[in-house]
Coordinates of all heavy atoms in Angstrom, one line a residue:
M7 N 43.0 -51.3 -133.0 CA 44.2 -50.5 -132.4 C 44.2 -49.2 -133.1 O 44.0 -48.9 -134.2 CB 45.5 -51.2 -132.7 CG 45.6 -52.5 -131.9 SD 47.3 -52.9 -131.5 CE 48.1 -52.7 -133.1
K8 N 44.8 -48.2 -132.4 CA 44.9 -46.9 -132.9 C 46.2 -46.2 -132.3 O 46.5 -46.3 -131.2 CB 43.7 -46.0 -132.4 CG 43.2 -44.9 -133.4 CD 41.8 -44.5 -133.1 CE 41.6 -43.3 -134.1 NZ 40.2 -42.9 -134.2
R9 N 46.9 -45.4 -133.2 CA 48.2 -44.9 -132.9 C 47.9 -43.5 -132.1 O 47.2 -42.7 -132.6 CB 48.9 -44.6 -134.1 CG 50.3 -44.1 -133.9 CD 50.9 -43.7 -135.4 NE 52.2 -43.1 -135.3 CZ 52.3 -41.7 -135.2 NH1 51.2 -41.0 -135.0 NH2 53.5 -41.2 -135.1
V10 N 48.5 -43.4 -130.9 CA 48.2 -42.1 -130.2 C 49.5 -41.3 -130.2 O 49.4 -40.1 -129.8 CB 47.8 -42.4 -128.7 CG1 46.4 -42.9 -128.7 CG2 48.8 -43.4 -128.1
F11 N 50.7 -41.9 -130.4 CA 51.9 -41.2 -130.2 C 53.0 -41.8 -130.9 O 53.1 -43.0 -131.1 CB 52.2 -41.1 -128.6 CG 53.5 -40.3 -128.3 CD1 53.4 -38.9 -128.4 CD2 54.6 -40.8 -128.0 CE1 54.4 -38.1 -127.9 CE2 55.7 -40.1 -127.6 CZ 55.7 -38.6 -127.7
G12 N 54.0 -41.0 -131.4 CA 55.1 -41.4 -132.1 C 56.3 -40.5 -132.0 O 56.1 -39.3 -132.0
S13 N 57.4 -41.1 -131.8 CA 58.7 -40.3 -131.7 C 59.9 -41.1 -132.0 O 59.9 -42.2 -131.9 CB 58.8 -39.7 -130.2 OG 60.0 -39.0 -130.0
Y14 N 61.0 -40.3 -132.4 CA 62.2 -41.0 -132.6 C 62.9 -41.1 -131.2 O 64.0 -41.8 -131.1 CB 63.1 -40.2 -133.6 CG 62.5 -40.2 -134.9 CD1 61.9 -39.1 -135.5 CD2 62.6 -41.4 -135.7 CE1 61.4 -39.1 -136.7 CE2 61.9 -41.4 -137.0 CZ 61.4 -40.2 -137.5 OH 60.8 -40.3 -138.7
N15 N 62.4 -40.4 -130.2 CA 63.0 -40.5 -128.9 C 62.3 -41.6 -128.1 O 61.2 -41.5 -127.7 CB 62.7 -39.1 -128.2 CG 63.4 -39.2 -126.8 OD1 63.6 -40.2 -126.2 ND2 63.8 -37.9 -126.4
Q16 N 63.1 -42.8 -128.0 CA 62.5 -43.9 -127.4 C 62.0 -43.7 -125.9 O 61.1 -44.2 -125.5 CB 63.5 -45.1 -127.3 CG 64.1 -45.4 -128.8 CD 63.3 -46.4 -129.4 OE1 62.9 -47.5 -128.9 NE2 63.1 -46.3 -130.7
Q17 N 62.8 -42.8 -125.3 CA 62.5 -42.5 -123.9 C 61.2 -41.8 -123.7 O 60.3 -42.1 -122.8 CB 63.6 -41.7 -123.2 CG 64.8 -42.7 -123.0 CD 66.1 -41.8 -122.9 OE1 66.3 -40.7 -123.5 NE2 67.1 -42.5 -122.3
L18 N 60.9 -40.9 -124.8 CA 59.6 -40.2 -124.7 C 58.5 -41.2 -124.9 O 57.4 -41.2 -124.3 CB 59.6 -39.1 -125.8 CG 60.1 -37.8 -125.6 CD1 59.9 -36.9 -126.7 CD2 59.5 -37.2 -124.3
V19 N 58.6 -42.1 -125.8 CA 57.6 -43.1 -126.1 C 57.3 -44.0 -124.9 O 56.2 -44.3 -124.5 CB 58.1 -43.9 -127.3 CG1 57.0 -45.1 -127.6 CG2 58.0 -43.1 -128.6
H20 N 58.4 -44.4 -124.2 CA 58.2 -45.3 -123.1 C 57.7 -44.4 -121.9 O 56.9 -45.0 -121.1 CB 59.6 -45.9 -122.7 CG 59.9 -47.1 -123.5 ND1 59.4 -48.4 -123.1 CD2 60.5 -47.3 -124.6 CE1 59.8 -49.2 -124.1 NE2 60.4 -48.6 -125.0
H21 N 58.0 -43.2 -121.8 CA 57.4 -42.4 -120.8 C 55.8 -42.2 -121.0 O 55.0 -42.4 -120.1 CB 58.1 -40.9 -120.8 CG 57.5 -40.0 -119.8 ND1 57.6 -40.2 -118.5 CD2 56.6 -38.9 -120.0 CE1 57.0 -39.2 -117.8 NE2 56.4 -38.4 -118.7
A22 N 55.5 -42.1 -122.2 CA 54.1 -42.0 -122.7 C 53.4 -43.3 -122.3 O 52.2 -43.4 -121.8 CB 53.9 -41.6 -124.1
K23 N 54.0 -44.5 -122.6 CA 53.5 -45.8 -122.4 C 53.2 -45.9 -120.8 O 52.2 -46.4 -120.5 CB 54.5 -46.8 -122.8 CG 54.1 -48.2 -122.5 CD 55.2 -49.2 -123.0 CE 54.8 -50.6 -122.8 NZ 55.3 -51.0 -121.4
N24 N 54.2 -45.5 -120.1 CA 54.0 -45.6 -118.6 C 52.9 -44.8 -118.1 O 52.1 -45.2 -117.2 CB 55.3 -45.1 -117.9 CG 56.4 -46.2 -118.1 OD1 56.2 -47.4 -118.4 ND2 57.6 -45.6 -117.9
L25 N 52.7 -43.5 -118.7 CA 51.6 -42.7 -118.3 C 50.2 -43.3 -118.6 O 49.3 -43.3 -117.8 CB 51.7 -41.4 -119.0 CG 52.8 -40.4 -118.6 CD1 52.8 -39.2 -119.5 CD2 52.5 -39.9 -117.1
L26 N 50.2 -43.8 -119.8 CA 48.9 -44.5 -120.2 C 48.6 -45.7 -119.5 O 47.4 -46.0 -119.0 CB 48.9 -44.8 -121.7 CG 49.0 -43.6 -122.5 CD1 48.9 -43.9 -124.1 CD2 47.9 -42.5 -122.3
E27 N 49.6 -46.6 -119.1 CA 49.3 -47.8 -118.4 C 49.0 -47.4 -116.9 O 48.1 -48.1 -116.4 CB 50.6 -48.7 -118.4 CG 50.8 -49.4 -119.6 CD 52.1 -50.2 -119.8 OE1 53.0 -50.0 -118.9 OE2 52.1 -51.2 -120.6
A28 N 49.5 -46.3 -116.4 CA 49.1 -45.8 -115.1 C 47.6 -45.4 -115.1 O 47.0 -45.5 -114.1 CB 50.1 -44.7 -114.6
A29 N 47.2 -45.0 -116.2 CA 45.8 -44.6 -116.3 C 44.9 -45.8 -116.8 O 43.7 -45.5 -116.9 CB 45.7 -43.5 -117.4
G30 N 45.4 -46.9 -116.9 CA 44.6 -48.1 -117.0 C 44.4 -48.4 -118.4 O 43.4 -49.1 -118.8
I31 N 45.2 -47.7 -119.3 CA 44.9 -48.0 -120.7 C 46.0 -49.0 -121.3 O 47.1 -48.9 -121.0 CB 45.0 -46.6 -121.5 CG1 44.1 -45.6 -121.0 CG2 45.0 -46.9 -123.0 CD1 44.2 -44.2 -121.5
R32 N 45.4 -50.0 -122.0 CA 46.3 -51.0 -122.6 C 47.0 -50.5 -123.8 O 46.2 -50.1 -124.8 CB 45.5 -52.2 -122.8 CG 44.9 -52.8 -121.6 CD 44.6 -54.2 -121.7 NE 43.7 -54.5 -122.8 CZ 43.7 -55.6 -123.6 NH1 44.6 -56.6 -123.3 NH2 42.9 -55.7 -124.6
V33 N 48.2 -50.5 -123.9 CA 49.0 -49.9 -125.0 C 50.0 -50.9 -125.5 O 50.4 -51.9 -124.9 CB 49.6 -48.6 -124.6 CG1 48.7 -47.5 -124.3 CG2 50.6 -48.8 -123.5
L34 N 50.5 -50.6 -126.7 CA 51.5 -51.4 -127.4 C 52.6 -50.4 -128.0 O 52.2 -49.4 -128.6 CB 50.8 -52.3 -128.4 CG 51.8 -53.2 -129.2 CD1 52.2 -54.4 -128.5 CD2 51.0 -53.7 -130.5
V35 N 53.8 -50.8 -127.9 CA 54.8 -50.0 -128.5 C 55.3 -50.8 -129.8 O 55.6 -52.0 -129.7 CB 56.1 -49.8 -127.6 CG1 57.3 -49.0 -128.4 CG2 55.7 -49.0 -126.4
R36 N 55.4 -50.1 -130.8 CA 55.8 -50.7 -132.1 C 57.0 -50.1 -132.6 O 57.3 -48.9 -132.4 CB 54.7 -50.6 -133.2 CG 53.3 -51.1 -132.8 CD 52.4 -50.9 -134.0 NE 52.0 -52.2 -134.7 CZ 51.3 -52.2 -135.7 NH1 50.9 -51.1 -136.3 NH2 50.9 -53.4 -136.2
N37 N 57.8 -50.9 -133.4 CA 59.1 -50.4 -134.0 C 60.1 -50.0 -132.9 O 61.2 -49.3 -133.4 CB 58.8 -49.1 -134.8 CG 57.9 -49.4 -136.0 OD1 57.7 -50.6 -136.4 ND2 57.4 -48.4 -136.6
Q38 N 59.9 -50.4 -131.7 CA 60.9 -49.9 -130.7 C 62.3 -50.4 -130.9 O 63.2 -49.8 -130.3 CB 60.4 -50.2 -129.2 CG 60.2 -51.7 -129.0 CD 59.7 -51.9 -127.6 OE1 60.2 -51.2 -126.6 NE2 58.9 -52.9 -127.3
Y39 N 62.4 -51.5 -131.5 CA 63.9 -52.0 -131.7 C 64.5 -51.7 -133.0 O 65.5 -52.2 -133.3 CB 63.8 -53.5 -131.4 CG 63.3 -53.9 -130.0 CD1 62.2 -54.6 -129.8 CD2 64.1 -53.4 -128.9 CE1 61.7 -54.9 -128.6 CE2 63.5 -53.7 -127.6 CZ 62.5 -54.4 -127.4 OH 62.0 -54.7 -126.2
L40 N 63.8 -50.9 -133.8 CA 64.4 -50.7 -135.2 C 65.2 -49.5 -135.2 O 65.9 -49.3 -136.2 CB 63.2 -50.4 -136.1 CG 62.4 -51.7 -136.5 CD1 61.2 -51.3 -137.4 CD2 63.3 -52.8 -137.1
S41 N 65.3 -48.8 -134.1 CA 66.2 -47.5 -134.2 C 67.7 -47.9 -134.5 O 68.4 -47.1 -135.1 CB 66.1 -46.7 -132.9 OG 65.0 -46.1 -132.9
S42 N 68.1 -49.1 -134.0 CA 69.4 -49.5 -134.2 C 69.7 -49.7 -135.7 O 70.9 -49.8 -136.1 CB 69.8 -50.8 -133.4 OG 68.8 -51.8 -133.9
A43 N 68.6 -49.8 -136.5 CA 68.8 -50.1 -137.9 C 68.8 -48.8 -138.7 O 68.7 -48.7 -139.9 CB 67.7 -51.0 -138.4
M44 N 68.8 -47.6 -138.0 CA 68.7 -46.3 -138.6 C 69.9 -46.2 -139.7 O 71.0 -46.7 -139.4 CB 69.1 -45.2 -137.6 CG 67.7 -44.8 -136.9 SD 66.8 -43.7 -137.9 CE 66.2 -42.5 -136.7
G45 N 69.6 -45.7 -140.8 CA 70.6 -45.7 -141.9 C 70.3 -46.8 -142.9 O 70.7 -46.6 -144.1
E46 N 69.7 -47.8 -142.4 CA 69.5 -48.9 -143.4 C 67.9 -48.9 -143.8 O 67.6 -49.3 -144.9 CB 69.7 -50.3 -142.8 CG 71.2 -50.4 -142.5 CD 71.5 -51.7 -141.8 OE1 70.6 -52.6 -141.8 OE2 72.6 -51.8 -141.1
L47 N 67.1 -48.3 -142.9 CA 65.7 -48.2 -143.1 C 65.4 -46.7 -143.3 O 66.0 -45.8 -142.7 CB 64.8 -48.8 -142.0 CG 65.1 -50.3 -141.8 CD1 64.4 -50.7 -140.4 CD2 64.4 -51.1 -142.9
P48 N 64.3 -46.4 -144.1 CA 63.8 -45.1 -144.1 C 63.5 -44.6 -142.7 O 62.9 -45.4 -141.9 CB 62.6 -45.1 -145.0 CG 62.6 -46.5 -145.6 CD 63.5 -47.4 -144.8
P49 N 63.7 -43.3 -142.4 CA 63.5 -42.8 -141.0 C 62.1 -43.1 -140.5 O 61.9 -43.4 -139.3 CB 63.6 -41.3 -141.2 CG 64.6 -41.2 -142.2 CD 64.3 -42.4 -143.2
A50 N 61.1 -43.1 -141.4 CA 59.7 -43.3 -140.9 C 59.5 -44.7 -140.4 O 58.7 -44.9 -139.5 CB 58.8 -43.0 -142.1
E51 N 60.4 -45.6 -140.8 CA 60.2 -46.9 -140.3 C 60.9 -47.1 -139.0 O 60.8 -48.2 -138.3 CB 60.9 -47.9 -141.3 CG 60.4 -47.9 -142.7 CD 58.9 -48.4 -142.7 OE1 58.6 -49.3 -142.0 OE2 58.1 -47.9 -143.4
C52 N 61.6 -46.1 -138.6 CA 62.4 -46.3 -137.3 C 61.8 -45.6 -136.1 O 62.2 -45.6 -135.0 CB 63.8 -45.8 -137.5 SG 64.7 -46.7 -138.7
Q53 N 60.7 -44.8 -136.4 CA 60.0 -44.2 -135.3 C 59.2 -45.1 -134.4 O 58.6 -45.9 -134.9 CB 59.0 -43.2 -135.9 CG 58.5 -42.2 -134.9 CD 57.5 -41.1 -135.5 OE1 56.9 -41.5 -136.6 NE2 57.6 -40.0 -135.1
A54 N 59.5 -45.0 -133.1 CA 58.7 -45.8 -132.2 C 57.3 -45.2 -132.0 O 57.1 -44.0 -132.1 CB 59.4 -45.8 -130.9
E55 N 56.3 -46.1 -131.9 CA 54.9 -45.7 -132.0 C 54.2 -46.3 -130.8 O 54.5 -47.4 -130.5 CB 54.3 -46.1 -133.3 CG 54.8 -45.3 -134.5 CD 54.1 -45.7 -135.7 OE1 53.6 -46.9 -135.7 OE2 54.1 -45.0 -136.7
L56 N 53.3 -45.5 -130.3 CA 52.5 -46.0 -129.2 C 51.0 -46.2 -129.7 O 50.5 -45.2 -130.1 CB 52.6 -45.0 -128.0 CG 52.1 -45.5 -126.7 CD1 52.9 -46.7 -126.2 CD2 52.2 -44.4 -125.7
W57 N 50.5 -47.4 -129.4 CA 49.2 -47.7 -130.0 C 48.3 -48.1 -128.8 O 48.8 -48.8 -127.9 CB 49.2 -48.9 -131.0 CG 49.9 -48.5 -132.2 CD1 51.1 -48.2 -132.5 CD2 49.3 -48.5 -133.6 NE1 51.5 -48.0 -133.8 CE2 50.4 -48.2 -134.5 CE3 48.0 -48.7 -134.0 CZ2 50.1 -48.0 -135.9 CZ3 47.7 -48.6 -135.4 CH2 48.7 -48.2 -136.3
V58 N 47.1 -47.7 -128.8 CA 46.1 -48.1 -127.8 C 45.4 -49.4 -128.4 O 45.1 -49.4 -129.6 CB 45.0 -47.2 -127.4 CG1 45.6 -45.9 -126.6 CG2 44.3 -46.5 -128.6
L59 N 45.2 -50.4 -127.6 CA 44.7 -51.6 -128.0 C 43.1 -51.4 -128.2 O 42.6 -52.0 -129.2 CB 45.0 -52.7 -127.0 CG 46.4 -53.1 -126.9 CD1 46.6 -54.3 -125.9 CD2 47.2 -53.2 -128.1
E60 N 42.5 -50.6 -127.4 CA 41.1 -50.5 -127.5 C 40.9 -49.0 -128.1 O 41.3 -48.1 -127.5 CB 40.4 -50.6 -126.2 CG 40.8 -51.8 -125.4 CD 40.2 -53.1 -126.1 OE1 39.3 -53.0 -126.8 OE2 40.9 -54.1 -125.8
E61 N 40.2 -49.0 -129.2 CA 39.9 -47.7 -129.8 C 39.1 -46.7 -128.9 O 39.2 -45.5 -129.1 CB 39.3 -47.8 -131.2 CG 40.1 -48.4 -132.2 CD 39.8 -48.2 -133.7 OE1 39.1 -47.2 -133.8 OE2 40.4 -48.8 -134.5
D62 N 38.3 -47.3 -128.1 CA 37.6 -46.6 -127.1 C 38.4 -45.8 -126.1 O 38.0 -44.8 -125.5 CB 36.6 -47.5 -126.3 CG 35.5 -47.9 -127.2 OD1 35.2 -47.5 -128.3 OD2 34.8 -48.9 -126.7
D63 N 39.6 -46.2 -126.0 CA 40.5 -45.6 -125.0 C 41.3 -44.4 -125.7 O 42.0 -43.7 -125.1 CB 41.6 -46.6 -124.6 CG 41.0 -47.5 -123.6 OD1 40.0 -47.2 -122.9 OD2 41.6 -48.6 -123.4
F64 N 41.1 -44.2 -126.9 CA 41.8 -43.3 -127.6 C 41.8 -41.8 -127.1 O 42.8 -41.1 -127.0 CB 41.6 -43.3 -129.1 CG 42.4 -42.4 -130.1 CD1 43.7 -42.6 -130.4 CD2 41.7 -41.2 -130.6 CE1 44.4 -41.8 -131.1 CE2 42.4 -40.4 -131.3 CZ 43.8 -40.6 -131.7
E65 N 40.5 -41.4 -127.0 CA 40.3 -40.0 -126.5 C 40.9 -39.9 -125.0 O 41.6 -38.8 -124.8 CB 38.7 -39.8 -126.3 CG 38.2 -39.4 -127.7 CD 38.8 -38.2 -128.3 OE1 39.1 -37.3 -127.6 OE2 39.0 -38.2 -129.6
K66 N 40.8 -40.9 -124.2 CA 41.3 -40.8 -123.0 C 42.8 -40.8 -123.0 O 43.4 -40.0 -122.3 CB 40.8 -42.0 -122.1 CG 41.2 -41.9 -120.6 CD 40.8 -43.2 -119.9 CE 41.3 -43.3 -118.5 NZ 41.1 -44.6 -117.9
A67 N 43.4 -41.6 -123.8 CA 44.9 -41.6 -124.0 C 45.3 -40.2 -124.4 O 46.3 -39.7 -123.9 CB 45.2 -42.6 -125.0
N68 N 44.7 -39.5 -125.3 CA 45.1 -38.2 -125.8 C 45.1 -37.2 -124.6 O 45.8 -36.3 -124.5 CB 44.3 -37.7 -126.9 CG 44.8 -38.1 -128.2 OD1 45.9 -38.1 -128.4 ND2 43.9 -38.5 -129.2
Q69 N 44.0 -37.3 -123.8 CA 43.8 -36.4 -122.7 C 44.9 -36.7 -121.7 O 45.5 -35.7 -121.1 CB 42.5 -36.6 -122.0 CG 41.3 -36.1 -122.8 CD 40.0 -36.5 -122.2 OE1 39.9 -37.1 -121.1 NE2 38.9 -36.3 -122.9
V70 N 45.4 -37.9 -121.4 CA 46.3 -38.2 -120.5 C 47.8 -37.5 -121.1 O 48.5 -37.0 -120.3 CB 46.6 -39.7 -120.3 CG1 47.8 -40.0 -119.5 CG2 45.4 -40.3 -119.6
L71 N 48.0 -37.8 -122.3 CA 49.2 -37.4 -122.9 C 49.3 -35.8 -123.0 O 50.3 -35.1 -122.7 CB 49.5 -37.9 -124.3 CG 49.7 -39.4 -124.3 CD1 49.8 -39.9 -125.8 CD2 50.8 -39.8 -123.4
S72 N 48.2 -35.1 -123.2 CA 48.1 -33.7 -123.4 C 48.2 -33.1 -122.0 O 48.6 -31.9 -121.9 CB 46.9 -33.2 -124.2 OG 45.8 -33.6 -123.4
A73 N 47.9 -33.8 -121.0 CA 47.9 -33.2 -119.7 C 49.3 -33.3 -119.1 O 49.6 -32.9 -118.0 CB 47.0 -34.0 -118.7
Q74 N 50.2 -33.9 -119.9 CA 51.6 -34.0 -119.4 C 52.5 -33.4 -120.5 O 53.3 -34.1 -121.2 CB 52.0 -35.5 -119.2 CG 51.2 -36.2 -118.2 CD 51.5 -36.0 -116.9 OE1 52.7 -35.6 -116.6 NE2 50.6 -36.4 -115.9
P75 N 52.5 -32.1 -120.6 CA 53.3 -31.5 -121.7 C 54.8 -31.6 -121.5 O 55.3 -31.4 -120.4 CB 53.0 -30.0 -121.6 CG 52.5 -29.8 -120.2 CD 51.9 -31.1 -119.8
P76 N 55.6 -32.2 -122.5 CA 57.0 -32.4 -122.4 C 57.7 -31.1 -122.5 O 58.6 -31.1 -123.4 CB 57.3 -33.5 -123.4 CG 56.2 -33.2 -124.4 CD 55.0 -32.6 -123.8
S77 N 57.4 -30.1 -121.7 CA 58.1 -28.9 -122.0 C 58.7 -28.4 -120.6 O 58.4 -28.9 -119.6 CB 57.2 -27.9 -122.6 OG 56.1 -27.6 -121.7
G78 N 59.5 -27.3 -120.7 CA 60.0 -26.8 -119.5 C 61.5 -27.1 -119.5 O 62.0 -27.7 -120.5
P79 N 62.2 -26.5 -118.6 CA 63.8 -26.6 -118.6 C 64.2 -28.1 -118.3 O 63.5 -28.7 -117.5 CB 64.1 -25.6 -117.5 CG 63.0 -25.6 -116.5 CD 61.8 -25.8 -117.4
D80 N 65.3 -28.4 -119.0 CA 65.9 -29.7 -118.5 C 66.5 -29.6 -117.2 O 66.6 -28.6 -116.6 CB 67.0 -30.0 -119.5 CG 66.5 -30.4 -120.9 OD1 65.2 -30.5 -121.1 OD2 67.4 -30.5 -121.8
W81 N 66.6 -30.8 -116.5 CA 67.3 -30.8 -115.2 C 68.4 -31.7 -115.2 O 68.5 -32.6 -116.0 CB 66.2 -31.1 -114.2 CG 65.6 -32.4 -114.3 CD1 64.5 -32.8 -115.2 CD2 65.7 -33.6 -113.5 NE1 64.1 -34.0 -115.1 CE2 64.9 -34.6 -114.1 CE3 66.6 -34.0 -112.4 CZ2 64.9 -35.9 -113.5 CZ3 66.6 -35.3 -111.9 CH2 65.7 -36.2 -112.5
S82 N 69.3 -31.6 -114.3 CA 70.4 -32.4 -114.2 C 70.4 -33.1 -112.8 O 70.1 -32.6 -111.8 CB 71.7 -31.5 -114.2 OG 71.8 -30.9 -115.4
C83 N 70.6 -34.4 -113.0 CA 70.7 -35.4 -111.9 C 72.0 -35.2 -111.1 O 73.0 -34.8 -111.7 CB 70.4 -36.8 -112.3 SG 70.5 -37.9 -111.0
A84 N 72.0 -35.7 -109.9 CA 73.2 -35.7 -109.1 C 74.3 -36.5 -109.8 O 75.5 -36.2 -109.6 CB 73.0 -36.1 -107.7
C85 N 73.9 -37.5 -110.6 CA 74.9 -38.3 -111.2 C 75.5 -37.8 -112.4 O 76.3 -38.3 -113.1 CB 74.3 -39.7 -111.5 SG 73.2 -39.7 -113.0
G86 N 74.9 -36.6 -112.9 CA 75.5 -35.9 -114.0 C 74.7 -36.0 -115.3 O 75.0 -35.4 -116.3
E87 N 73.7 -36.9 -115.2 CA 72.8 -37.1 -116.4 C 71.9 -35.9 -116.6 O 71.3 -35.4 -115.6 CB 71.9 -38.4 -116.2 CG 71.1 -38.9 -117.4 CD 72.0 -39.3 -118.5 OE1 73.1 -39.9 -118.2 OE2 71.6 -39.2 -119.6
K88 N 71.7 -35.6 -117.8 CA 70.8 -34.5 -118.2 C 69.4 -35.0 -118.5 O 69.4 -36.0 -119.4 CB 71.3 -33.6 -119.3 CG 72.3 -32.6 -118.9 CD 72.0 -31.2 -119.6 CE 73.0 -30.1 -119.2 NZ 72.7 -29.5 -118.0
L89 N 68.3 -34.6 -118.0 CA 67.1 -35.1 -118.3 C 66.0 -34.1 -118.7 O 66.1 -32.9 -118.2 CB 66.6 -35.9 -117.0 CG 67.5 -37.0 -116.6 CD1 67.9 -36.8 -115.2 CD2 66.8 -38.3 -116.8
G90 N 65.1 -34.5 -119.6 CA 64.0 -33.6 -120.0 C 63.1 -33.3 -118.8 O 62.9 -34.0 -117.9
A91 N 62.3 -32.2 -119.0 CA 61.4 -31.8 -118.0 C 60.3 -32.9 -117.7 O 59.7 -32.8 -116.6 CB 60.8 -30.4 -118.4
Q92 N 60.1 -33.6 -118.6 CA 58.9 -34.5 -118.5 C 59.2 -35.7 -117.7 O 58.5 -36.5 -117.3 CB 58.4 -35.0 -119.9 CG 59.3 -36.0 -120.6 CD 60.4 -35.2 -121.5 OE1 60.7 -34.1 -121.3 NE2 60.9 -35.9 -122.5
F93 N 60.6 -35.8 -117.3 CA 60.9 -37.1 -116.5 C 61.1 -36.7 -115.1 O 61.6 -35.7 -114.7 CB 62.3 -37.6 -117.1 CG 62.2 -38.0 -118.5 CD1 62.8 -37.3 -119.5 CD2 61.6 -39.2 -118.8 CE1 62.7 -37.7 -120.8 CE2 61.5 -39.6 -120.1 CZ 62.1 -38.8 -121.2
S94 N 60.5 -37.5 -114.2 CA 60.5 -37.2 -112.9 C 61.6 -38.0 -112.1 O 61.8 -37.9 -110.9 CB 59.2 -37.4 -112.2 OG 58.8 -38.8 -112.4
Q95 N 62.2 -38.9 -113.0 CA 63.2 -39.8 -112.3 C 64.4 -40.1 -113.4 O 64.2 -40.1 -114.6 CB 62.5 -41.1 -112.1 CG 63.3 -42.1 -111.2 CD 62.6 -43.5 -110.9 OE1 61.6 -43.8 -111.6 NE2 63.0 -44.1 -109.9
C96 N 65.5 -40.1 -112.8 CA 66.7 -40.4 -113.7 C 66.7 -41.8 -114.2 O 66.6 -42.7 -113.4 CB 68.0 -40.1 -112.9 SG 69.5 -40.4 -113.8
W97 N 67.0 -41.9 -115.5 CA 67.0 -43.3 -116.0 C 68.2 -43.9 -115.9 O 68.4 -45.1 -116.1 CB 66.4 -43.3 -117.5 CG 67.4 -42.4 -118.4 CD1 68.5 -42.7 -118.8 CD2 66.9 -41.2 -119.0 NE1 69.0 -41.7 -119.5 CE2 68.1 -40.8 -119.7 CE3 65.7 -40.5 -119.0 CZ2 68.0 -39.6 -120.6 CZ3 65.7 -39.3 -119.8 CH2 66.7 -38.9 -120.5
R98 N 69.3 -43.1 -115.4 CA 70.6 -43.7 -115.4 C 70.8 -44.3 -114.0 O 71.4 -45.4 -113.9 CB 71.6 -42.6 -115.7 CG 73.0 -43.1 -115.7 CD 73.9 -41.9 -116.2 NE 75.4 -42.3 -116.0 CZ 76.3 -41.2 -116.1 NH1 75.9 -40.0 -116.3 NH2 77.5 -41.5 -115.9
C99 N 70.5 -43.5 -113.1 CA 70.8 -44.0 -111.6 C 69.5 -44.2 -110.9 O 69.5 -44.8 -109.7 CB 71.6 -42.9 -110.9 SG 70.8 -41.5 -110.4
G100 N 68.4 -43.8 -111.3 CA 67.1 -44.2 -110.7 C 66.7 -43.2 -109.6 O 65.7 -43.3 -109.0
A101 N 67.4 -42.1 -109.5 CA 67.1 -41.0 -108.5 C 65.9 -40.2 -108.9 O 65.7 -40.0 -110.0 CB 68.3 -40.1 -108.2
S102 N 65.1 -39.9 -107.8 CA 64.0 -39.0 -108.2 C 64.4 -37.6 -108.3 O 65.4 -37.1 -107.7 CB 63.0 -39.1 -107.0 OG 62.4 -40.3 -107.1
R103 N 63.7 -36.9 -109.1 CA 64.0 -35.5 -109.3 C 63.7 -34.6 -108.1 O 62.7 -34.9 -107.3 CB 63.0 -34.9 -110.4 CG 63.3 -33.4 -110.8 CD 62.3 -33.0 -111.7 NE 62.6 -31.7 -112.3 CZ 62.0 -31.1 -113.3 NH1 61.0 -31.7 -113.9 NH2 62.3 -29.9 -113.6
T104 N 64.7 -33.8 -107.8 CA 64.4 -32.9 -106.6 C 64.2 -31.5 -107.0 O 64.8 -31.1 -108.1 CB 65.7 -33.0 -105.7 OG1 66.8 -32.8 -106.4 CG2 65.8 -34.4 -105.0
A105 N 63.5 -30.7 -106.2 CA 63.2 -29.4 -106.5 C 64.4 -28.5 -106.6 O 65.5 -28.7 -106.0 CB 62.2 -28.8 -105.6
Ligands
LIG17 ZN1 71.0 -39.9 -112.0

């Protein structure tokens, strides 16, 4: 196994997981439930991490993730939720992003 991504932002990690799974790469999220323990554990222990199960997939995984830069302006959903540019769908109401 090899770590390809890590973030304190659980949504970013899950977004990356979805991208990699869509590309046919088997991945695993670690530490994803530890964030609720923030304050009791050192911060490094609370970071969610994305691991590829097959080391051969590591390069491909990096390419998939680098092809999806999480940058750009945030957008607001009709329901009022603010979302990062990397998300194409609202996690609150499920609506797709509109131009
Ligand atoms: Zn919404």
Side-chain angles (χ1 to χ4, degrees):
M7 291 213 309
K8 209 161 176 170
R9 180 183 176 280
V10 288
F11 185 71
S13 173
Y14 294 107
N15 185 331
Q16 305 272 319
Q17 284 154 342
L18 273 184
V19 173
H20 278 272
H21 179 67
K23 173 176 180 281
N24 289 340
L25 286 176
L26 295 184
E27 285 181 340
I31 298 171
R32 297 201 304 148
V33 295
L34 179 74
V35 176
R36 302 179 111 185
N37 295 346
Q38 62 176 319
Y39 299 118
L40 287 181
S41 286
S42 59
M44 277 279 219
E46 296 173 22
L47 294 168
E51 299 296 322
C52 298
Q53 188 177 38
E55 296 180 334
L56 194 60
W57 293 65
V58 289
L59 299 187
E60 311 291 338
E61 292 203 10
D62 287 348
D63 286 336
F64 183 72
E65 282 300 318
K66 187 182 172 189
N68 270 324
Q69 284 170 11
V70 170
L71 293 181
S72 63
Q74 304 278 342
S77 60
D80 290 351
W81 58 286
S82 296
C83 179
C85 74
E87 187 70 29
K88 280 222 179 275
L89 298 123
Q92 71 273 26
F93 299 105
S94 59
Q95 193 178 16
C96 176
W97 58 71
R98 187 173 167 194
C99 71
S102 292
R103 181 182 189 174
T104 52

